[in-house]
Structure formats: structure tokens, C-alpha cells
Amino acid sequence: LEADPNLAMAHLHLALTLQAEQQPGALDEFTKAYQQGAQNAVIALEFGGFLATSGNDEEAIPVLRRAMELDPRNPEAPYQLGLALQRTNKVDEAIPLLQKAVEANTNDAEMLTNLGMALCQAQRAKEAVPLLQKAVSLTPGNPTPHQNLAAAYIQLNQLDDAVSQLREALKLSPDSPQLHYNLGVAFKMKDDASDAIPEFEAAEKLD
């Protein structure tokens, strides 16, 4: 099949439109675009991102590697590749790619969080804490960064800090069964059954 850059972009635009409208046929159009535009970094990145968000990380990884090769300066390709590798438990390979993305976007709370959680996944919670702390400061009003930071503190056995973060998260989302459960676990790890039991009961009631 002879490559045709113009035809490749036509397939890409159709694929993106179908994806945005949640219409069938996007995968076929992305595939055709990638076949016709093998040297186009934008097509590789969009196709790889589509595969990843569709739950096909293993298929996305080689396409995203190709996107990185074609445009090494674009931080989005290593970021998307890092996430796909993280989700497929290739965390040691994922971390430097996620770090590269964070270096280019130092105030992106989502990127900071994903790198922090990858470090926790690799049992490197001490390195994760400052990243997750920054994510908390960048997203006031969001309970999830507090929850993620608490997970890092639990891994480090800094249980008072974990409890503090989970309480902050519950102020923002008091009806979350997961947060009540996590706080109960933190109290249980502190051998504090009197505080753990009400949290487990709240989690059960809200679930």
C-alpha cells in the first residue's frame, strides 16, 4: 500500500470526528490513517491515544513509541506512553517517561499525580510525596489528591499524616464510602479500633 499523506490526514480527521461523536468506525479510520501516514507523528500520537483510552494499552504502546521517535520534543507522547506502560505494570519503564512529561509541565496536577502514583507503585513513596503535595496545592477543593497523598503516607507508615489527609478529603467529599474505608484502615493500622469502627460502619452504610 503506497503512503498518501493527504489521504492519511483525511482518515485522521474522520476518525477524530467519529471519536468525538462516539460513532462506530473510528478504529478503522485511525488504522487507515496510521497505515497511510507512517511518518506522521500527530497521527501516531492520536492513534496511540485512542487505543489507550479504548483499553488497548498493549496495542497502544508500540504506536506511542513510534510517535516518540517521530517527534522526540513533544512531551505528550512520552506521557501517554508512560501511562500505558504504568497500566500494564511496566512501572520501571513508565517512571522516566512520566518524569519527562512533568519536567515540561511542572504545574500540571494530573501529570504530577500520575508520576507520584507510579512511584508509589514502584515502592518509592518518599519520592512521590512532594509531587502529590504539589498536586494537592494546585487543586484546592478536590478530594482525590488528598487521598493519593494519604496512600503515599500509608506506604511510608506515616499514619498520622495519612489520617490528616483523609480527613481533609472527607471534608470535601463526606459521602464517599471509599474515603471512610481508607480512613478506617489508617486508624486500624494505628491500632485505634475506637476510631476505625465508625469509619468502616460509615463506609458500609454509604456503599
Side-chain angles (χ1 to χ4, degrees), residues 92-129:
D92 290 336
E93 188 179 357
I95 286 170
L97 295 169
L98 297 175
Q99 287 172 327
K100 183 177 179 179
V102 166
E103 287 167 5
N105 300 273
T106 57
N107 289 316
D108 188 307
E110 181 181 332
M111 288 186 175
L112 289 162
T113 296
N114 286 322
L115 174 56
M117 298 313 292
L119 288 165
C120 287
Q121 193 175 337
Q123 303 300 310
R124 293 164 59 181
K126 187 173 182 179
E127 297 171 62
V129 164

PDB file of all heavy atoms in Angstrom, residues 92-129:
ATOM      1  N   ASP A  92       8.623   0.473  36.011  1.00  0.00           N
ATOM      2  CA  ASP A  92      10.005   0.965  35.983  1.00  0.00           C
ATOM      3  C   ASP A  92      10.325   1.673  34.669  1.00  0.00           C
ATOM      4  O   ASP A  92      11.105   2.630  34.646  1.00  0.00           O
ATOM      5  CB  ASP A  92      10.986  -0.189  36.211  1.00  0.00           C
ATOM      6  CG  ASP A  92      10.941  -0.713  37.633  1.00  0.00           C
ATOM      7  OD1 ASP A  92      10.532   0.053  38.529  1.00  0.00           O
ATOM      8  OD2 ASP A  92      11.297  -1.879  37.861  1.00  0.00           O
ATOM      9  N   GLU A  93       9.727   1.220  33.599  1.00  0.00           N
ATOM     10  CA  GLU A  93       9.903   1.885  32.312  1.00  0.00           C
ATOM     11  C   GLU A  93       9.024   3.130  32.213  1.00  0.00           C
ATOM     12  O   GLU A  93       9.380   4.111  31.552  1.00  0.00           O
ATOM     13  CB  GLU A  93       9.570   0.924  31.170  1.00  0.00           C
ATOM     14  CG  GLU A  93       9.920   1.470  29.794  1.00  0.00           C
ATOM     15  CD  GLU A  93       9.619   0.501  28.669  1.00  0.00           C
ATOM     16  OE1 GLU A  93       9.184  -0.640  28.945  1.00  0.00           O
ATOM     17  OE2 GLU A  93       9.827   0.890  27.501  1.00  0.00           O
ATOM     18  N   ALA A  94       7.887   3.092  32.891  1.00  0.00           N
ATOM     19  CA  ALA A  94       6.953   4.214  32.826  1.00  0.00           C
ATOM     20  C   ALA A  94       7.484   5.455  33.532  1.00  0.00           C
ATOM     21  O   ALA A  94       7.298   6.582  33.056  1.00  0.00           O
ATOM     22  CB  ALA A  94       5.614   3.805  33.438  1.00  0.00           C
ATOM     23  N   ILE A  95       8.155   5.268  34.666  1.00  0.00           N
ATOM     24  CA  ILE A  95       8.514   6.402  35.520  1.00  0.00           C
ATOM     25  C   ILE A  95       9.367   7.448  34.804  1.00  0.00           C
ATOM     26  O   ILE A  95       9.041   8.648  34.850  1.00  0.00           O
ATOM     27  CB  ILE A  95       9.185   5.907  36.818  1.00  0.00           C
ATOM     28  CG1 ILE A  95       8.121   5.289  37.731  1.00  0.00           C
ATOM     29  CG2 ILE A  95       9.922   7.045  37.544  1.00  0.00           C
ATOM     30  CD1 ILE A  95       8.669   4.564  38.933  1.00  0.00           C
ATOM     31  N   PRO A  96      10.467   7.090  34.115  1.00  0.00           N
ATOM     32  CA  PRO A  96      11.247   8.149  33.449  1.00  0.00           C
ATOM     33  C   PRO A  96      10.469   8.883  32.363  1.00  0.00           C
ATOM     34  O   PRO A  96      10.709  10.076  32.132  1.00  0.00           O
ATOM     35  CB  PRO A  96      12.451   7.402  32.865  1.00  0.00           C
ATOM     36  CG  PRO A  96      12.109   5.961  32.895  1.00  0.00           C
ATOM     37  CD  PRO A  96      11.135   5.785  34.005  1.00  0.00           C
ATOM     38  N   LEU A  97       9.528   8.213  31.733  1.00  0.00           N
ATOM     39  CA  LEU A  97       8.707   8.872  30.721  1.00  0.00           C
ATOM     40  C   LEU A  97       7.747   9.860  31.369  1.00  0.00           C
ATOM     41  O   LEU A  97       7.562  10.983  30.873  1.00  0.00           O
ATOM     42  CB  LEU A  97       7.940   7.836  29.911  1.00  0.00           C
ATOM     43  CG  LEU A  97       8.794   6.901  29.056  1.00  0.00           C
ATOM     44  CD1 LEU A  97       7.960   5.755  28.514  1.00  0.00           C
ATOM     45  CD2 LEU A  97       9.440   7.670  27.911  1.00  0.00           C
ATOM     46  N   LEU A  98       7.146   9.468  32.474  1.00  0.00           N
ATOM     47  CA  LEU A  98       6.263  10.379  33.202  1.00  0.00           C
ATOM     48  C   LEU A  98       7.048  11.547  33.784  1.00  0.00           C
ATOM     49  O   LEU A  98       6.555  12.680  33.833  1.00  0.00           O
ATOM     50  CB  LEU A  98       5.515   9.619  34.300  1.00  0.00           C
ATOM     51  CG  LEU A  98       4.568   8.524  33.817  1.00  0.00           C
ATOM     52  CD1 LEU A  98       3.988   7.758  34.996  1.00  0.00           C
ATOM     53  CD2 LEU A  98       3.447   9.105  32.967  1.00  0.00           C
ATOM     54  N   GLN A  99       8.289  11.286  34.218  1.00  0.00           N
ATOM     55  CA  GLN A  99       9.139  12.367  34.716  1.00  0.00           C
ATOM     56  C   GLN A  99       9.444  13.380  33.617  1.00  0.00           C
ATOM     57  O   GLN A  99       9.435  14.595  33.853  1.00  0.00           O
ATOM     58  CB  GLN A  99      10.445  11.789  35.274  1.00  0.00           C
ATOM     59  CG  GLN A  99      10.283  11.077  36.602  1.00  0.00           C
ATOM     60  CD  GLN A  99      11.543  10.355  37.051  1.00  0.00           C
ATOM     61  OE1 GLN A  99      12.311   9.852  36.216  1.00  0.00           O
ATOM     62  NE2 GLN A  99      11.753  10.275  38.354  1.00  0.00           N
ATOM     63  N   LYS A 100       9.685  12.887  32.424  1.00  0.00           N
ATOM     64  CA  LYS A 100       9.954  13.771  31.286  1.00  0.00           C
ATOM     65  C   LYS A 100       8.758  14.679  31.022  1.00  0.00           C
ATOM     66  O   LYS A 100       8.916  15.886  30.755  1.00  0.00           O
ATOM     67  CB  LYS A 100      10.273  12.935  30.047  1.00  0.00           C
ATOM     68  CG  LYS A 100      10.641  13.752  28.813  1.00  0.00           C
ATOM     69  CD  LYS A 100      11.016  12.847  27.650  1.00  0.00           C
ATOM     70  CE  LYS A 100      11.374  13.656  26.405  1.00  0.00           C
ATOM     71  NZ  LYS A 100      11.755  12.797  25.261  1.00  0.00           N
ATOM     72  N   ALA A 101       7.571  14.116  31.121  1.00  0.00           N
ATOM     73  CA  ALA A 101       6.367  14.910  30.896  1.00  0.00           C
ATOM     74  C   ALA A 101       6.198  15.969  31.979  1.00  0.00           C
ATOM     75  O   ALA A 101       5.844  17.121  31.692  1.00  0.00           O
ATOM     76  CB  ALA A 101       5.149  13.998  30.849  1.00  0.00           C
ATOM     77  N   VAL A 102       6.472  15.599  33.230  1.00  0.00           N
ATOM     78  CA  VAL A 102       6.339  16.551  34.338  1.00  0.00           C
ATOM     79  C   VAL A 102       7.358  17.678  34.212  1.00  0.00           C
ATOM     80  O   VAL A 102       7.057  18.843  34.501  1.00  0.00           O
ATOM     81  CB  VAL A 102       6.474  15.816  35.690  1.00  0.00           C
ATOM     82  CG1 VAL A 102       6.697  16.811  36.835  1.00  0.00           C
ATOM     83  CG2 VAL A 102       5.231  14.973  35.949  1.00  0.00           C
ATOM     84  N   GLU A 103       8.552  17.347  33.774  1.00  0.00           N
ATOM     85  CA  GLU A 103       9.578  18.386  33.597  1.00  0.00           C
ATOM     86  C   GLU A 103       9.136  19.453  32.602  1.00  0.00           C
ATOM     87  O   GLU A 103       9.512  20.621  32.727  1.00  0.00           O
ATOM     88  CB  GLU A 103      10.885  17.741  33.119  1.00  0.00           C
ATOM     89  CG  GLU A 103      11.604  16.962  34.208  1.00  0.00           C
ATOM     90  CD  GLU A 103      12.708  16.069  33.659  1.00  0.00           C
ATOM     91  OE1 GLU A 103      12.974  16.144  32.430  1.00  0.00           O
ATOM     92  OE2 GLU A 103      13.290  15.300  34.444  1.00  0.00           O
ATOM     93  N   ALA A 104       8.324  19.056  31.634  1.00  0.00           N
ATOM     94  CA  ALA A 104       7.826  20.003  30.635  1.00  0.00           C
ATOM     95  C   ALA A 104       6.529  20.688  31.082  1.00  0.00           C
ATOM     96  O   ALA A 104       6.117  21.671  30.459  1.00  0.00           O
ATOM     97  CB  ALA A 104       7.604  19.294  29.309  1.00  0.00           C
ATOM     98  N   ASN A 105       5.897  20.164  32.138  1.00  0.00           N
ATOM     99  CA  ASN A 105       4.614  20.706  32.607  1.00  0.00           C
ATOM    100  C   ASN A 105       4.600  20.669  34.135  1.00  0.00           C
ATOM    101  O   ASN A 105       3.867  19.889  34.738  1.00  0.00           O
ATOM    102  CB  ASN A 105       3.443  19.889  32.052  1.00  0.00           C
ATOM    103  CG  ASN A 105       3.382  19.871  30.544  1.00  0.00           C
ATOM    104  OD1 ASN A 105       2.813  20.738  29.919  1.00  0.00           O
ATOM    105  ND2 ASN A 105       3.999  18.850  29.946  1.00  0.00           N
ATOM    106  N   THR A 106       5.408  21.517  34.747  1.00  0.00           N
ATOM    107  CA  THR A 106       5.657  21.396  36.184  1.00  0.00           C
ATOM    108  C   THR A 106       4.455  21.727  37.057  1.00  0.00           C
ATOM    109  O   THR A 106       4.447  21.388  38.245  1.00  0.00           O
ATOM    110  CB  THR A 106       6.835  22.294  36.600  1.00  0.00           C
ATOM    111  OG1 THR A 106       6.539  23.650  36.208  1.00  0.00           O
ATOM    112  CG2 THR A 106       8.124  21.845  35.935  1.00  0.00           C
ATOM    113  N   ASN A 107       3.445  22.376  36.498  1.00  0.00           N
ATOM    114  CA  ASN A 107       2.267  22.736  37.286  1.00  0.00           C
ATOM    115  C   ASN A 107       1.011  22.005  36.823  1.00  0.00           C
ATOM    116  O   ASN A 107      -0.105  22.466  37.064  1.00  0.00           O
ATOM    117  CB  ASN A 107       2.035  24.250  37.230  1.00  0.00           C
ATOM    118  CG  ASN A 107       3.090  25.016  38.011  1.00  0.00           C
ATOM    119  OD1 ASN A 107       3.450  24.639  39.125  1.00  0.00           O
ATOM    120  ND2 ASN A 107       3.590  26.080  37.426  1.00  0.00           N
ATOM    121  N   ASP A 108       1.199  20.873  36.178  1.00  0.00           N
ATOM    122  CA  ASP A 108       0.068  20.069  35.741  1.00  0.00           C
ATOM    123  C   ASP A 108      -0.244  19.038  36.835  1.00  0.00           C
ATOM    124  O   ASP A 108       0.506  18.078  37.032  1.00  0.00           O
ATOM    125  CB  ASP A 108       0.399  19.369  34.421  1.00  0.00           C
ATOM    126  CG  ASP A 108      -0.806  18.666  33.818  1.00  0.00           C
ATOM    127  OD1 ASP A 108      -1.439  17.861  34.517  1.00  0.00           O
ATOM    128  OD2 ASP A 108      -1.105  18.916  32.639  1.00  0.00           O
ATOM    129  N   ALA A 109      -1.352  19.259  37.542  1.00  0.00           N
ATOM    130  CA  ALA A 109      -1.681  18.409  38.687  1.00  0.00           C
ATOM    131  C   ALA A 109      -1.896  16.958  38.291  1.00  0.00           C
ATOM    132  O   ALA A 109      -1.509  16.038  39.023  1.00  0.00           O
ATOM    133  CB  ALA A 109      -2.919  18.949  39.399  1.00  0.00           C
ATOM    134  N   GLU A 110      -2.504  16.736  37.135  1.00  0.00           N
ATOM    135  CA  GLU A 110      -2.754  15.361  36.694  1.00  0.00           C
ATOM    136  C   GLU A 110      -1.447  14.632  36.418  1.00  0.00           C
ATOM    137  O   GLU A 110      -1.273  13.475  36.814  1.00  0.00           O
ATOM    138  CB  GLU A 110      -3.634  15.368  35.445  1.00  0.00           C
ATOM    139  CG  GLU A 110      -3.956  13.971  34.934  1.00  0.00           C
ATOM    140  CD  GLU A 110      -4.820  13.984  33.682  1.00  0.00           C
ATOM    141  OE1 GLU A 110      -5.591  14.937  33.504  1.00  0.00           O
ATOM    142  OE2 GLU A 110      -4.701  13.037  32.885  1.00  0.00           O
ATOM    143  N   MET A 111      -0.511  15.303  35.736  1.00  0.00           N
ATOM    144  CA  MET A 111       0.782  14.672  35.450  1.00  0.00           C
ATOM    145  C   MET A 111       1.558  14.413  36.735  1.00  0.00           C
ATOM    146  O   MET A 111       2.186  13.352  36.898  1.00  0.00           O
ATOM    147  CB  MET A 111       1.591  15.554  34.509  1.00  0.00           C
ATOM    148  CG  MET A 111       1.066  15.579  33.090  1.00  0.00           C
ATOM    149  SD  MET A 111       2.150  16.507  31.982  1.00  0.00           S
ATOM    150  CE  MET A 111       1.361  16.215  30.395  1.00  0.00           C
ATOM    151  N   LEU A 112       1.526  15.367  37.667  1.00  0.00           N
ATOM    152  CA  LEU A 112       2.197  15.182  38.953  1.00  0.00           C
ATOM    153  C   LEU A 112       1.619  13.986  39.700  1.00  0.00           C
ATOM    154  O   LEU A 112       2.353  13.168  40.270  1.00  0.00           O
ATOM    155  CB  LEU A 112       2.055  16.445  39.807  1.00  0.00           C
ATOM    156  CG  LEU A 112       2.852  17.666  39.357  1.00  0.00           C
ATOM    157  CD1 LEU A 112       2.294  18.930  40.008  1.00  0.00           C
ATOM    158  CD2 LEU A 112       4.331  17.503  39.697  1.00  0.00           C
ATOM    159  N   THR A 113       0.296  13.886  39.664  1.00  0.00           N
ATOM    160  CA  THR A 113      -0.374  12.781  40.356  1.00  0.00           C
ATOM    161  C   THR A 113      -0.008  11.436  39.740  1.00  0.00           C
ATOM    162  O   THR A 113       0.300  10.472  40.461  1.00  0.00           O
ATOM    163  CB  THR A 113      -1.897  12.980  40.315  1.00  0.00           C
ATOM    164  OG1 THR A 113      -2.228  14.164  41.042  1.00  0.00           O
ATOM    165  CG2 THR A 113      -2.620  11.791  40.931  1.00  0.00           C
ATOM    166  N   ASN A 114      -0.042  11.364  38.430  1.00  0.00           N
ATOM    167  CA  ASN A 114       0.256  10.087  37.781  1.00  0.00           C
ATOM    168  C   ASN A 114       1.694   9.647  38.029  1.00  0.00           C
ATOM    169  O   ASN A 114       1.955   8.457  38.265  1.00  0.00           O
ATOM    170  CB  ASN A 114      -0.025  10.182  36.287  1.00  0.00           C
ATOM    171  CG  ASN A 114      -1.512  10.173  35.985  1.00  0.00           C
ATOM    172  OD1 ASN A 114      -2.281   9.468  36.617  1.00  0.00           O
ATOM    173  ND2 ASN A 114      -1.934  10.970  35.014  1.00  0.00           N
ATOM    174  N   LEU A 115       2.628  10.591  38.013  1.00  0.00           N
ATOM    175  CA  LEU A 115       4.014  10.249  38.343  1.00  0.00           C
ATOM    176  C   LEU A 115       4.115   9.821  39.799  1.00  0.00           C
ATOM    177  O   LEU A 115       4.778   8.818  40.120  1.00  0.00           O
ATOM    178  CB  LEU A 115       4.935  11.435  38.066  1.00  0.00           C
ATOM    179  CG  LEU A 115       6.392  11.257  38.491  1.00  0.00           C
ATOM    180  CD1 LEU A 115       7.027  10.018  37.860  1.00  0.00           C
ATOM    181  CD2 LEU A 115       7.205  12.514  38.141  1.00  0.00           C
ATOM    182  N   GLY A 116       3.457  10.555  40.678  1.00  0.00           N
ATOM    183  CA  GLY A 116       3.500  10.197  42.097  1.00  0.00           C
ATOM    184  C   GLY A 116       2.951   8.810  42.355  1.00  0.00           C
ATOM    185  O   GLY A 116       3.544   8.017  43.105  1.00  0.00           O
ATOM    186  N   MET A 117       1.832   8.467  41.724  1.00  0.00           N
ATOM    187  CA  MET A 117       1.244   7.151  41.949  1.00  0.00           C
ATOM    188  C   MET A 117       2.088   6.044  41.315  1.00  0.00           C
ATOM    189  O   MET A 117       2.152   4.927  41.831  1.00  0.00           O
ATOM    190  CB  MET A 117      -0.181   7.119  41.418  1.00  0.00           C
ATOM    191  CG  MET A 117      -1.128   8.108  42.108  1.00  0.00           C
ATOM    192  SD  MET A 117      -1.036   8.090  43.922  1.00  0.00           S
ATOM    193  CE  MET A 117      -1.719   6.467  44.272  1.00  0.00           C
ATOM    194  N   ALA A 118       2.760   6.356  40.196  1.00  0.00           N
ATOM    195  CA  ALA A 118       3.671   5.367  39.614  1.00  0.00           C
ATOM    196  C   ALA A 118       4.843   5.099  40.560  1.00  0.00           C
ATOM    197  O   ALA A 118       5.269   3.945  40.720  1.00  0.00           O
ATOM    198  CB  ALA A 118       4.186   5.860  38.262  1.00  0.00           C
ATOM    199  N   LEU A 119       5.345   6.147  41.184  1.00  0.00           N
ATOM    200  CA  LEU A 119       6.431   5.968  42.152  1.00  0.00           C
ATOM    201  C   LEU A 119       5.956   5.134  43.344  1.00  0.00           C
ATOM    202  O   LEU A 119       6.688   4.267  43.829  1.00  0.00           O
ATOM    203  CB  LEU A 119       6.938   7.332  42.623  1.00  0.00           C
ATOM    204  CG  LEU A 119       7.754   8.112  41.586  1.00  0.00           C
ATOM    205  CD1 LEU A 119       7.890   9.580  41.990  1.00  0.00           C
ATOM    206  CD2 LEU A 119       9.139   7.490  41.394  1.00  0.00           C
ATOM    207  N   CYS A 120       4.743   5.378  43.806  1.00  0.00           N
ATOM    208  CA  CYS A 120       4.189   4.549  44.881  1.00  0.00           C
ATOM    209  C   CYS A 120       4.073   3.094  44.433  1.00  0.00           C
ATOM    210  O   CYS A 120       4.366   2.167  45.201  1.00  0.00           O
ATOM    211  CB  CYS A 120       2.825   5.079  45.305  1.00  0.00           C
ATOM    212  SG  CYS A 120       2.864   6.611  46.251  1.00  0.00           S
ATOM    213  N   GLN A 121       3.638   2.904  43.204  1.00  0.00           N
ATOM    214  CA  GLN A 121       3.506   1.554  42.655  1.00  0.00           C
ATOM    215  C   GLN A 121       4.854   0.835  42.650  1.00  0.00           C
ATOM    216  O   GLN A 121       4.920  -0.396  42.810  1.00  0.00           O
ATOM    217  CB  GLN A 121       2.943   1.651  41.231  1.00  0.00           C
ATOM    218  CG  GLN A 121       2.452   0.357  40.624  1.00  0.00           C
ATOM    219  CD  GLN A 121       1.812   0.600  39.263  1.00  0.00           C
ATOM    220  OE1 GLN A 121       1.361   1.698  38.949  1.00  0.00           O
ATOM    221  NE2 GLN A 121       1.788  -0.432  38.423  1.00  0.00           N
ATOM    222  N   ALA A 122       5.931   1.613  42.493  1.00  0.00           N
ATOM    223  CA  ALA A 122       7.284   1.053  42.487  1.00  0.00           C
ATOM    224  C   ALA A 122       7.903   1.056  43.881  1.00  0.00           C
ATOM    225  O   ALA A 122       9.118   0.873  44.016  1.00  0.00           O
ATOM    226  CB  ALA A 122       8.162   1.849  41.529  1.00  0.00           C
ATOM    227  N   GLN A 123       7.072   1.275  44.910  1.00  0.00           N
ATOM    228  CA  GLN A 123       7.550   1.307  46.302  1.00  0.00           C
ATOM    229  C   GLN A 123       8.560   2.436  46.529  1.00  0.00           C
ATOM    230  O   GLN A 123       9.519   2.290  47.284  1.00  0.00           O
ATOM    231  CB  GLN A 123       8.144  -0.051  46.708  1.00  0.00           C
ATOM    232  CG  GLN A 123       7.203  -1.229  46.548  1.00  0.00           C
ATOM    233  CD  GLN A 123       5.943  -1.089  47.396  1.00  0.00           C
ATOM    234  OE1 GLN A 123       6.016  -0.816  48.594  1.00  0.00           O
ATOM    235  NE2 GLN A 123       4.777  -1.271  46.779  1.00  0.00           N
ATOM    236  N   ARG A 124       8.309   3.576  45.890  1.00  0.00           N
ATOM    237  CA  ARG A 124       9.186   4.747  46.027  1.00  0.00           C
ATOM    238  C   ARG A 124       8.355   5.928  46.521  1.00  0.00           C
ATOM    239  O   ARG A 124       8.407   7.034  45.996  1.00  0.00           O
ATOM    240  CB  ARG A 124       9.854   5.060  44.679  1.00  0.00           C
ATOM    241  CG  ARG A 124      10.834   3.980  44.237  1.00  0.00           C
ATOM    242  CD  ARG A 124      11.206   4.078  42.756  1.00  0.00           C
ATOM    243  NE  ARG A 124      11.808   5.357  42.411  1.00  0.00           N
ATOM    244  CZ  ARG A 124      12.200   5.677  41.161  1.00  0.00           C
ATOM    245  NH1 ARG A 124      12.049   4.798  40.182  1.00  0.00           N
ATOM    246  NH2 ARG A 124      12.726   6.851  40.913  1.00  0.00           N
ATOM    247  N   ALA A 125       7.593   5.670  47.591  1.00  0.00           N
ATOM    248  CA  ALA A 125       6.653   6.674  48.078  1.00  0.00           C
ATOM    249  C   ALA A 125       7.340   7.945  48.580  1.00  0.00           C
ATOM    250  O   ALA A 125       6.772   9.031  48.484  1.00  0.00           O
ATOM    251  CB  ALA A 125       5.794   6.078  49.188  1.00  0.00           C
ATOM    252  N   LYS A 126       8.542   7.810  49.108  1.00  0.00           N
ATOM    253  CA  LYS A 126       9.240   9.007  49.611  1.00  0.00           C
ATOM    254  C   LYS A 126       9.442  10.021  48.493  1.00  0.00           C
ATOM    255  O   LYS A 126       9.326  11.236  48.703  1.00  0.00           O
ATOM    256  CB  LYS A 126      10.585   8.607  50.221  1.00  0.00           C
ATOM    257  CG  LYS A 126      11.305   9.755  50.915  1.00  0.00           C
ATOM    258  CD  LYS A 126      12.551   9.264  51.637  1.00  0.00           C
ATOM    259  CE  LYS A 126      13.242  10.419  52.360  1.00  0.00           C
ATOM    260  NZ  LYS A 126      14.450   9.955  53.083  1.00  0.00           N
ATOM    261  N   GLU A 127       9.749   9.536  47.277  1.00  0.00           N
ATOM    262  CA  GLU A 127       9.900  10.430  46.127  1.00  0.00           C
ATOM    263  C   GLU A 127       8.550  10.966  45.659  1.00  0.00           C
ATOM    264  O   GLU A 127       8.473  12.057  45.069  1.00  0.00           O
ATOM    265  CB  GLU A 127      10.570   9.695  44.972  1.00  0.00           C
ATOM    266  CG  GLU A 127      11.982   9.213  45.266  1.00  0.00           C
ATOM    267  CD  GLU A 127      12.503   8.303  44.173  1.00  0.00           C
ATOM    268  OE1 GLU A 127      12.621   8.771  43.026  1.00  0.00           O
ATOM    269  OE2 GLU A 127      12.757   7.115  44.457  1.00  0.00           O
ATOM    270  N   ALA A 128       7.504  10.210  45.914  1.00  0.00           N
ATOM    271  CA  ALA A 128       6.180  10.601  45.446  1.00  0.00           C
ATOM    272  C   ALA A 128       5.578  11.738  46.268  1.00  0.00           C
ATOM    273  O   ALA A 128       4.822  12.556  45.737  1.00  0.00           O
ATOM    274  CB  ALA A 128       5.238   9.393  45.480  1.00  0.00           C
ATOM    275  N   VAL A 129       5.905  11.790  47.550  1.00  0.00           N
ATOM    276  CA  VAL A 129       5.230  12.725  48.461  1.00  0.00           C
ATOM    277  C   VAL A 129       5.287  14.177  47.983  1.00  0.00           C
ATOM    278  O   VAL A 129       4.248  14.849  47.902  1.00  0.00           O
ATOM    279  CB  VAL A 129       5.767  12.582  49.893  1.00  0.00           C
ATOM    280  CG1 VAL A 129       5.369  13.775  50.753  1.00  0.00           C
ATOM    281  CG2 VAL A 129       5.243  11.292  50.519  1.00  0.00           C
TER     282      VAL A 129
END
